[in-house]
Amino acid sequence: MRLVTTRFLLDDGLAVDAETDLDTDRWRAPAFSLAGARALAAATQALAERIGHECMQTVHVLGDDDDTDPRDHDFDQDEDAPALKAIVLVITWDHMADGPKAATRIVTPDPTGRYWIGGDWPWEVATWQCACGLRDEWHNTTCDNCGRTRDDQARPAGASA
Ligand SMILES: [Zn+2]
């Protein structure tokens, strides 16, 4: 497994950062930390408000705000791993005709505390454009053409390196 952190677009102006596995099927579900799941939850709920709930899934995080970064721990093996105090839910609103239980799925974190969400969603990886004009996917952080980095692009012209 080769996880990279990249940026996914849910919609214009709505982006979330998550990890994805480049070695296997790159369109499997992205992996979110609990903090990332919270960001995804906010983004999906904002999108649902805009386009309507019936045609989408929304993510909800219930519980404690204690966001210890879970990826430092193996929750099955590490006795020092903090107890999980949050529950991540995915609600599929067009299943509500069959009742709330049919529409609700609890996302169980994997042993490292990653939440894999949205395996069947039409994820689109964000891109960035280098000052030289080349466009690349978000997780490729150095321009193949000129060697500038993605994070270097935002610097105002004339600022020293
Ligand atoms: Zn470049």
Side-chain angles (χ1 to χ4, degrees):
M1 197 152 73
R2 187 163 57 102
L3 289 174
V4 296
T5 298
T6 192
R7 179 161 291 178
F8 291 95
L9 300 174
L10 281 170
D11 191 27
D12 282 345
L14 282 176
V16 291
D17 291 341
E19 291 171 298
T20 191
D21 184 359
L22 291 185
D23 279 344
T24 58
D25 178 3
R26 66 180 303 172
W27 301 118
R28 67 180 290 187
F32 294 87
S33 66
L34 186 56
R38 288 183 196 285
L40 178 64
T44 58
Q45 291 168 44
L47 189 58
E49 288 298 318
R50 198 190 308 163
I51 68 173
H53 285 76
E54 58 281 347
C55 50
M56 66 174 296
Q57 296 177 318
T58 55
V59 177
H60 302 262
V61 181
L62 308 177
D64 203 308
D65 244 326
D66 182 11
D67 269 340
T68 305
D69 193 346
R71 62 198 58 181
D72 295 336
H73 302 280
D74 183 330
F75 284 91
D76 286 345
Q77 304 288 332
D78 186 352
E79 291 182 0
D80 294 327
L84 293 170
K85 298 174 193 160
I87 295 174
V88 177
L89 299 173
V90 175
I91 299 178
T92 305
W93 291 94
D94 68 358
H95 292 176
M96 277 295 274
D98 299 322
K101 194 170 180 181
T104 306
R105 183 171 61 84
I106 294 174
V107 182
T108 304
D110 75 7
T112 66
R114 291 176 169 87
Y115 295 83
W116 298 83
I117 301 172
D120 54 351
W121 294 9
W123 292 105
E124 182 184 349
V125 174
T127 59
W128 61 283
Q129 183 157 17
C130 183
C132 76
L134 194 74
R135 184 167 282 282
D136 207 343
E137 292 183 313
W138 191 259
H139 48 274
N140 296 325
T141 55
T142 303
C143 177
D144 283 341
N145 186 40
C146 73
R148 288 185 73 169
T149 64
R150 184 188 72 206
D151 295 340
D152 197 33
Q153 307 293 319
R155 185 174 299 156
S160 58

